[in-house]
């Protein structure tokens, strides 16, 4: 939301994480090709997974391919931390020296 201070704080960090995932997909499509980072305004859209209800704003969720289990991010609003969490959830191992911002 444009009126949500935490959402505004998250925006550049979310973009950093999404940009890094995009770069990793270009370099290693066999490893990162299935990872999708998407932003959705749930106040303006239907939520595709019933369990995907926010516990506050902003909320970062992970849903595995072909799965309906929703996992919530509870860490810092930091692009690198979000990226590490995404990799863990996607079953990927973080490689610190290669995945720096």
């Amino acid at each position: 939301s444009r009126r949500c201070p935490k959402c505004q704080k998250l925006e550049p960090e979310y973009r950093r994480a999404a940009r890094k995932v995009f770069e990793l997909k270009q370099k290693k499509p066999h490893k990162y090709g299935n990872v999708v980072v998407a932003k959705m305004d749930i106040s303006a859209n239907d939520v595709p997974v019933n369990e995907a209800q926010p516990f506050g704003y902003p909320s970062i969720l992970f849903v595995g391919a072909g799965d309906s289990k929703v996992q919530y991010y509870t860490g810092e609003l930091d692009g690198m931390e979000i990226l590490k969490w995404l990799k863990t959830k996607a079953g990927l191992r973080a490689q610190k020296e290669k995945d720096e911002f």
Side-chain angles (χ1 to χ4, degrees):
S1 170
R2 293 179 184 161
R3 293 183 273 177
C4 169
K6 283 188 177 180
C7 297
Q8 295 302 312
K9 179 181 177 185
L10 174 62
E11 183 71 22
E13 298 301 323
Y14 160 81
R15 288 181 181 271
R16 287 175 69 200
R19 184 172 42 254
K20 187 62 180 179
V21 168
F22 178 78
E23 291 169 5
L24 292 169
K25 287 173 80 165
Q26 299 301 307
K27 291 178 185 176
K28 298 179 182 178
H30 62 283
K31 187 173 182 180
Y32 296 96
N34 292 330
V35 178
V36 176
V37 177
K39 181 170 92 171
M40 181 174 155
D41 180 351
I42 64 165
S43 66
N45 296 282
D46 291 330
V47 179
V49 179
N50 289 337
E51 294 82 18
Q53 298 302 321
F55 56 85
Y57 294 96
S59 290
I60 300 173
L61 298 83
F62 177 87
V63 180
D67 196 359
S68 62
K69 181 180 177 190
V70 176
Q71 298 174 57
Y72 293 89
Y73 177 72
T74 58
E76 296 294 319
L77 299 181
D78 173 80
M80 189 62 172
E81 293 303 314
I82 294 167
L83 180 63
K84 287 179 188 176
W85 178 78
L86 284 172
K87 286 180 164 190
T88 301
K89 295 302 168 192
L92 304 169
R93 189 172 4 140
Q95 297 175 347
K96 186 177 179 184
E97 68 280 357
K98 293 184 180 179
D99 294 342
E100 297 283 334
F101 282 104

